[in-house]
Amino acid sequence: MALDQVNLELKGGKSYALIGPNGSGKTTLIKSILGLVVPTSGNIQFTGKSILNDWKYREKIGYMPQIGRYPENMRVGQLFEMMKHIRKDKPKVDEELLDAFKLYKIYDKRMHALSGGMRQKVSASLAFLFHAPVLILDEPTAGLDPVSVEILKEKIIREKRMGKLLIITSHILSDLDEIATEMVYMFEGRIQYSNSIENLKAETNESKLNKAIATLIRQRELLESVTE
Amino acid sequence: MIRIALIIGMVASCTLGHATTIVIGAKESVTRIKDAIALAQPGDTLLIKPGIYREGNIILQKPLTIKGEGYPVLDGENQYEIFTIHTNHAVIQGLKFINTGISSINDLAAIKLLESQQIKILQNKFENTFFGIYLANSSHVWIEENELQAQAEFEHQIGNGIHLWKCNNITIDKNKVVGHRDGIYFEFVTNSLITNNHSEGNMRYGLHFMFSNNDEYRNNTFMNNGAGVAVMYTKEVTMVNNSFIHNWGSSAYGLLLKDIRDSKITGNSFLENSVGIFMEGSSRNHIQQNKFYQNGYALKLQASCDDNIISKNNFQQNTFDLVTNGSLVLNKIEANYWDRYEGYDLNKDKTGDIPYRPISMYGTIVERMPQAILLWRSFLVLLLDKAEKAMPILTPENLMDVSPAMLPYDFN
Amino acid sequence: MTRIIKYIFYDILRTRFIIFYTAFLLVCTFAFFQIDGDFGKVVLSLMNIVLMAVPLVSVVFTTIHFFNSYEFIELMLAQPVNRRSVFLSEYIAVATSLCLAFVIGVGFPFALYGAWQSISTLLVTGIFLTLVFVSLAFFSSVLTRDKAKAIGVALLFWFYFSLIYDGLLLWVIYTFSDYPLEKLTLTLIAFNPIDLARIIMLLQLDISALMGYTGAFYKNFFGSNMGIFFSASLLMLWVFWPILVSMRIFSKKDL
């Protein structure tokens, strides 16, 4: 999905919910921030510096992809070893999730033998591993069992309290309700709405985030049909 | 009759009895060869001591034996022919000839024989001579164990090593000729024997003969000559056990046969020549039991050749075994060993059960377009040749060896 | 970067393909030795392998490897690692393992028979061809996201350089055979790394083939220091241009 005229500022200490229908450009936006997708025009800055042709800034980002893709022949343990090895500059690692998910039990399993949920656990553990001040989580709870979802949510909230910048996309809006403070709504590659969740709820007179968003979308559609 | 013989015998014993040896040298009573020749009686021996002799052109018209001791040097000072011989029964032995004159009008030679008979030229050395040994209208001459060495940059600056014109009954044995125009040159020379010679690095041909019938060449080596060996317009020649090695270049042939008839080419080795044998206008020759190894073309058989028999030769590791420019099959090719043969021998008679076609499509292409040699050993060429083997289009279908040998012949 | 290379190496070794490739070369070389004890002939037989199998294996293995390690590349690129170093690490790891397989597979039997000298040219050209075709395979891999398509393009490179190009060359020679073609053909050879490698090997190994015929011209050229320098730098060019171009594409590529 191509992004079109996206103008967005994400501030430290806040947590952003990135919302939008399938194919609205959420993942593309995240990938652009990570430098996985290179914009044809425009600029992305990280702490005031352009990220184009830069890669150092990524050490400050912990990323949990929507679909975790890993070398299939690698064992889970090897994967963690490798990631630690490649980022030798970070001697202190955060293995809270690793322990909470009991991943050491599956250290001998090869990646291709893992279920979707297991993979998600690996991805999540990797994202938090290096104490990154910015966390980008793409559908973090998808495919996880309820217990693991709770573990992950608690971890996210803890991190948030430490003043980290969080960017989260999810279809399960109730999850976001507890975590996010800001909301960015994307549609067809554009940012349709960007505001704090408090304001959104006030605007739509709804107390639940999912209701508020549903109302917002209806309003937008109405507006568009009129302008057309 | 008996009386005549008796008289001749008496005369001979008389002269032999009085034969003397004249010693020539700086410290001897005779210091010049010319003086010695003037002094000498027929049958005398001149013994030349070591030293350098600069006497211009020496003319010998007496039957003398001229011998060198420790290779005295006869210097032509880059101007003169050294020995001009017109006599019978003479021997020239153990001399070293250097620096004859160079002339494009006269064929200046170190030793020139004109209308002479019963001459022996033995164990001489020749350095930087225009022509080395030059024979015209002579017969019964033995040229043995001479060494001829020349260094010239261009063909016109140098004559032939051993040059024979209108001679017969000549023996040329164990000579070494290096760096001349033609190593050994024959024109109208008949009934002669050429054996054990080594001809190397000559600018044109290692051996070159024309109109020289009934000669026999054995055990000679022709190496690294500019254009290999050329034999032309001749019949009844025997070439046995010679080696033709590394005659390399765009018009170099191990052996060039042009208008050769009824001759025998047997037991020779052709190694690393651009073309092993090139045959043109030649008929009724037997080419048998030769070894063709690592030549560009082992055999180029022009369409003007007929009734030749090519059999029991070994063809190994040549780029191309055989090419021809015609489509008619007028020669007999049989029972050769071809290392490219891929047939089988079910009845174990050591002869392949299916015929071998020695002409490859690529060979034909290169024959027409020499630049195509660049594609040698490429995948494309491999495919082309396989395709052509299955379905001959470019190559003459009937040109084949119907009884190819399964194993190479052992000629040693 | 060395850390990344290390992990790619592990990965390549795990697939065992490289081991099979080494074994295949070993078997071939030993088999040639069995058939013919003459080193020269063994080298000539190996030459066909170098000219056909080595480029083919290089392109196929490289493209498959590239797409199989897509996940790894993605994973790496989300880390604080330079794209170029990830890409170069991939290249170095793949090229080194293929070259090692080749050198061991062909060189070991020769070392065993004590005939190192006779295959130095073969080894060097083989290594060059491996590098060139790994480069070309990387190039075709970054051109498209579709694995099948990339393998198709890579195979096309191989097919083009080992067969089609020579067909065209033959056609040129045929069409213009009345003109002096030496310089032209020499130039055209430079545009095909396989031809270039073939000519270099021919001049070293199979001297009788070029026969001093038209061959004399090429021999003078390629046999001279100038010619060796020329052909080596051309092969270098064939190694470098595809890899540099593909690195450029890769550094702008969306994953």
Side-chain angles (χ1 to χ4, degrees):
Chain A
M1 185 63 216
L3 296 180
D4 187 15
Q5 297 183 359
V6 170
N7 197 346
L8 193 63
E9 191 178 354
L10 305 168
K11 288 192 176 123
K14 291 186 175 179
S15 53
Y16 294 83
L18 200 52
I19 299 168
N22 297 331
S24 58
K26 301 182 300 267
T27 300
T28 310
L29 178 61
I30 287 171
K31 282 190 167 180
S32 303
I33 295 169
L34 283 164
L36 293 175
V37 169
V38 184
T40 41
S41 68
N43 199 0
I44 300 168
Q45 291 187 339
F46 189 92
T47 59
K49 260 176 71 186
S50 170
I51 64 160
L52 302 178
N53 301 319
D54 188 20
W55 49 270
K56 264 271 190 202
Y57 75 97
R58 283 201 286 270
E59 65 186 25
K60 298 202 174 66
I61 299 178
Y63 170 52
M64 177 178 171
Q66 188 173 17
I67 304 158
R69 305 217 298 161
Y70 302 99
E72 295 294 302
N73 280 318
M74 227 172 215
R75 291 175 207 278
V76 176
Q78 288 174 328
L79 178 71
F80 279 97
E81 278 306 303
M82 180 178 80
M83 298 308 284
K84 285 181 206 163
H85 186 100
I86 281 173
R87 293 184 62 170
K88 252 188 192 159
D89 48 319
K90 290 267 179 186
K92 273 194 175 170
V93 289
D94 176 359
E95 295 187 330
E96 248 181 66
L97 275 184
L98 220 64
D99 295 334
F101 287 141
K102 302 197 170 67
L103 284 185
Y104 49 82
K105 281 188 178 169
I106 55 160
Y107 260 26
D108 281 343
K109 282 201 169 166
R110 295 205 186 271
M111 289 308 296
H112 61 79
L114 295 190
S115 70
M118 291 299 229
R119 265 168 194 270
Q120 284 294 86
K121 287 181 192 171
V122 170
S123 298
S125 308
L126 280 176
F128 289 95
L129 198 56
F130 298 105
H131 297 286
V134 176
L135 290 165
I136 300 177
L137 312 172
D138 199 353
E139 299 283 354
T141 56
L144 283 183
D145 59 87
V147 179
S148 304
V149 170
E150 283 313 307
I151 293 173
L152 182 57
K153 264 158 86 173
E154 276 167 29
K155 174 72 182 167
I156 295 171
I157 290 164
R158 268 205 305 284
E159 295 290 314
K160 179 185 148 189
R161 291 206 185 110
M162 289 163 73
K164 291 192 175 176
L165 168 59
L166 284 161
I167 303 166
I168 304 168
T169 74
S170 181
H171 283 98
I172 304 156
L173 298 171
S174 55
D175 290 350
L176 293 173
D177 218 352
E178 298 163 48
I179 302 168
T181 57
E182 309 285 315
M183 198 204 67
V184 177
Y185 178 69
M186 293 192 71
F187 186 68
E188 291 190 342
R190 286 166 184 256
I191 290 177
Q192 299 284 356
Y193 183 88
S194 170
N195 209 330
S196 73
I197 289 179
E198 275 173 41
N199 289 347
L200 170 73
K201 287 176 179 173
E203 270 178 39
T204 53
N205 285 324
E206 298 283 352
S207 59
K208 290 265 183 196
L209 182 60
N210 49 353
K211 289 264 175 72
I213 289 165
T215 313
L216 174 75
I217 294 169
R218 270 200 300 279
Q219 282 174 358
R220 294 274 147 176
E221 280 174 354
L222 209 66
L223 209 68
E224 273 184 21
S225 62
V226 171
T227 49
E228 272 170 22
Chain B
M1 190 67 196
I2 292 168
R3 199 186 296 166
I4 296 171
L6 208 68
I7 291 167
I8 291 174
M10 280 170 67
V11 171
S13 63
C14 218
T15 47
L16 279 176
H18 291 90
T20 52
T21 296
I22 302 172
V23 181
I24 304 148
K27 291 171 190 162
E28 310 295 333
S29 54
V30 183
T31 56
R32 283 162 50 91
I33 301 168
K34 276 184 176 172
D35 295 346
I37 291 173
L39 279 169
Q41 295 299 312
D44 282 357
T45 296
L46 309 188
L47 182 66
I48 306 176
K49 290 280 181 184
I52 299 179
Y53 299 85
R54 297 193 178 88
E55 301 187 22
N57 180 220
I58 302 167
I59 295 169
L60 178 67
Q61 286 176 312
K62 288 178 187 170
L64 299 176
T65 296
I66 302 178
K67 278 189 185 175
E69 189 184 288
Y71 284 105
V73 175
L74 277 66
D75 187 350
E77 297 169 80
N78 296 315
Q79 286 182 52
Y80 308 106
E81 175 158 297
I82 300 173
F83 258 114
T84 309
I85 298 171
H86 173 58
T87 183
N88 298 337
H89 298 284
V91 178
I92 308 281
Q93 189 175 11
L95 304 179
K96 181 170 179 179
F97 299 88
I98 62 170
N99 303 335
T100 61
I102 294 173
S103 161
S104 50
I105 303 157
N106 301 315
D107 293 339
L108 299 179
I111 301 177
K112 186 183 274 180
L113 264 60
L114 300 167
E115 292 169 31
S116 304
Q117 290 183 21
Q118 303 287 348
I119 309 287
K120 288 183 179 167
I121 300 172
L122 312 172
Q123 291 133 12
N124 299 291
K125 289 183 181 174
F126 300 78
E127 261 176 37
N128 195 22
T129 53
F130 187 54
F131 280 77
I133 302 168
Y134 185 111
L135 274 62
N137 285 316
S138 300
S139 63
H140 301 281
V141 177
W142 287 262
I143 302 172
E144 292 174 7
E145 294 174 53
N146 299 288
E147 283 179 33
L148 298 93
Q149 175 123 28
Q151 287 119 8
E153 272 179 62
F154 302 103
E155 218 177 279
H156 61 84
Q157 291 174 345
I158 187 84
N160 302 324
I162 299 174
H163 177 105
L164 276 67
W165 186 75
K166 279 204 178 171
C167 299
N168 61 70
N169 293 296
I170 312 289
T171 301
I172 300 179
D173 185 45
K174 297 194 188 79
N175 300 287
K176 188 175 172 189
V177 188
V178 178
H180 278 273
R181 186 168 66 203
D182 289 342
I184 301 171
Y185 177 95
F186 280 19
E187 202 175 344
F188 306 108
V189 178
T190 54
N191 298 313
S192 295
L193 190 64
I194 298 90
T195 52
N196 304 313
N197 299 290
H198 185 98
S199 174
E200 184 178 345
N202 297 295
M203 314 212 78
R204 202 167 63 182
Y205 297 112
L207 165 70
H208 184 188
F209 67 80
M210 291 177 288
F211 313 106
S212 297
N213 304 330
N214 301 95
D215 292 334
E216 195 171 318
Y217 303 81
R218 280 182 188 272
N219 299 325
N220 301 290
T221 301
F222 305 101
M223 239 174 119
N224 269 325
N225 297 297
V229 167
V231 299
M232 303 190 251
Y233 317 110
T234 298
K235 59 185 183 184
E236 285 166 37
V237 177
T238 305
M239 301 188 88
V240 181
N241 294 346
N242 301 289
S243 297
F244 302 83
I245 302 170
H246 204 273
N247 297 293
W248 210 247
S250 55
S251 54
Y253 308 98
L255 178 58
L256 168 71
L257 302 173
K258 191 176 163 75
D259 280 274
I260 301 293
R261 280 162 224 289
D262 303 301
S263 295
K264 224 174 92 179
I265 293 157
T266 308
N268 301 289
S269 297
F270 298 87
L271 310 180
E272 295 178 11
N273 302 289
S274 287
V275 178
I277 299 184
F278 182 93
M279 281 177 85
E280 197 174 41
S282 300
S283 335
R284 299 189 299 276
N285 300 297
H286 288 245
I287 298 179
Q288 287 173 328
Q289 293 167 341
N290 300 290
K291 184 169 145 193
F292 296 88
Y293 188 76
Q294 288 192 346
N295 300 287
Y297 295 94
L299 190 53
K300 264 195 178 184
L301 193 60
Q302 299 300 96
S304 49
C305 300
D306 59 354
D307 288 332
N308 298 291
I309 295 172
I310 297 156
S311 69
K312 295 186 180 168
N313 301 288
N314 279 346
F315 291 86
Q316 285 163 300
Q317 294 190 32
N318 302 296
T319 306
F320 305 113
D321 291 329
L322 180 61
V323 288
T324 181
N325 57 357
S327 54
L328 282 174
V329 181
L330 303 168
N331 301 286
K332 200 168 177 184
I333 298 169
E334 60 179 18
N336 298 287
Y337 171 76
W338 313 89
D339 64 347
R340 284 200 183 78
Y341 181 59
E342 286 169 348
Y344 42 81
D345 177 24
L346 290 181
N347 54 5
K348 299 281 173 208
D349 61 353
K350 290 178 182 162
T351 300
D353 296 350
I354 53 171
Y356 175 71
R357 291 201 173 78
I359 297 189
S360 74
M361 178 177 190
Y362 178 57
T364 312
I365 292 174
V366 172
E367 171 67 9
R368 289 186 202 168
M369 305 176 277
Q371 291 95 347
I373 191 66
L374 263 190
L375 296 172
W376 173 235
R377 282 189 184 277
S378 68
F379 191 28
L380 177 78
V381 163
L382 198 83
L383 286 184
L384 280 182
D385 276 346
K386 292 273 177 222
E388 180 74 10
K389 279 246 152 64
M391 235 190 330
I393 305 164
L394 269 183
T395 55
E397 202 183 340
N398 295 321
L399 200 155
M400 55 193 178
D401 187 334
V402 289
S403 52
M406 292 304 290
L407 290 169
Y409 295 100
D410 185 6
F411 297 139
N412 298 318
Chain C
M1 206 156 112
T2 45
R3 286 173 239 167
I4 303 178
I5 293 175
K6 204 180 97 191
Y7 283 105
I8 304 171
F9 259 132
Y10 283 159
D11 191 40
I12 290 173
L13 279 180
R14 226 176 343 240
T15 59
R16 288 193 205 93
F17 178 87
I18 283 292
I19 317 266
F20 287 133
Y21 178 47
T22 316
F24 163 75
L25 289 172
L26 276 172
V27 168
C28 282
T29 314
F30 275 119
F32 289 141
F33 268 112
Q34 289 294 315
I35 295 166
D36 206 315
D38 180 9
F39 292 150
K41 260 192 139 177
V42 174
V43 172
L44 281 180
S45 313
L46 280 171
M47 187 174 141
N48 288 331
I49 290 207
V50 171
L51 289 176
M52 308 220 288
V54 165
L56 181 64
V57 168
S58 299
V59 289
V60 172
F61 175 74
T62 305
T63 2
I64 291 177
H65 168 83
F66 186 85
F67 281 90
N68 282 352
S69 41
Y70 223 86
E71 291 93 3
F72 176 80
I73 293 171
E74 267 184 16
L75 186 65
M76 283 303 116
L77 290 190
Q79 307 303 314
V81 179
N82 194 345
R83 269 196 185 207
R84 280 163 196 269
S85 37
V86 172
F87 191 74
L88 272 183
S89 308
E90 285 285 346
Y91 182 83
I92 291 169
V94 172
T96 316
S97 38
L98 280 171
C99 286
L100 269 180
F102 174 74
V103 170
I104 293 169
V106 172
F108 177 68
F110 274 87
L112 215 61
Y113 286 88
W116 264 114
Q117 286 83 3
S118 46
I119 54 157
S120 49
T121 313
L122 189 88
L123 283 181
V124 171
T125 35
I127 288 170
F128 259 122
L129 278 182
T130 306
L131 295 178
V132 168
F133 279 85
V134 169
S135 285
L136 286 170
F138 267 101
F139 180 57
S140 66
S141 299
V142 298
L143 280 182
T144 165
R145 281 200 119 166
D146 184 351
K147 184 173 171 179
K149 224 189 241 172
I151 293 177
V153 173
L155 280 178
L156 202 67
F157 273 128
W158 173 77
F159 197 61
Y160 176 75
F161 286 126
S162 58
L163 193 65
I164 300 175
Y165 192 91
D166 288 346
L168 294 174
L169 192 60
L170 188 61
W171 177 80
V172 167
I173 290 170
Y174 176 76
T175 316
F176 302 103
S177 56
D178 295 337
Y179 303 91
L181 279 178
E182 276 80 6
K183 293 242 165 73
L184 178 70
T185 45
L186 194 69
T187 320
L188 287 176
I189 286 289
F191 284 98
N192 182 348
I194 294 188
D195 278 349
L196 205 56
R198 189 167 47 79
I199 299 286
I200 292 171
M201 280 192 274
L202 276 186
L203 286 170
Q204 297 288 326
L205 309 173
D206 192 9
I207 220 66
S208 67
L210 293 176
M211 314 181 278
Y213 230 63
T214 306
F217 174 80
Y218 302 110
K219 186 166 166 42
N220 283 343
F221 182 78
F222 283 105
S224 68
N225 284 335
M226 167 73 191
I228 290 166
F229 177 75
F230 171 80
S231 37
S233 25
L234 272 175
L235 280 174
M236 288 286 219
L237 211 65
W238 272 105
V239 175
F240 284 114
W241 85 253
I243 201 65
L244 290 177
V245 171
S246 36
M247 198 148 86
R248 266 188 95 84
I249 297 174
F250 182 78
S251 61
K252 296 236 162 13
K253 195 176 162 75
D254 296 343
L255 288 162

